[in-house]
Amino acid sequence: MTFHYCIAVFNACIEFWQYRKASNALAAWKKGLAPTATVLRDGKFETIDASKLVPGDIVKIRLGQIVPADLRLGLRFN
C-alpha cells in the first residue's frame, strides 16, 4: 500500500514539473511575439507598440519579421 502512495506522489511531482516547464516555455514564446512596429514618424523611424499604429503610418518590415497589423503593402527602394 505504501508503494502505491510513493508512486502517486512521484507521479504528481513529475506532472507538476512538466506543467511548470510548459508554462515557462509558453510565457517565453509569448514574450518573443510581443507586437511592436518600426514606424516612420516625424521624419525618423522609431519602435512602438503595434496597438499604437494609426492609419497612414509607414511601417518598416524586413524579411522574416512578424507583420504587426493589417497593412497596405507598398514598395519603396532607396
Side-chain angles (χ1 to χ4, degrees), residues 42-63:
D42 298 326
K44 60 182 179 179
F45 283 100
E46 57 186 72
T47 302
I48 63 168
D49 289 337
S51 63
K52 306 236 189 273
L53 287 174
V54 295
D57 277 342
I58 297 175
V59 179
K60 182 192 292 186
I61 57 173
R62 295 196 169 166
L63 184 64

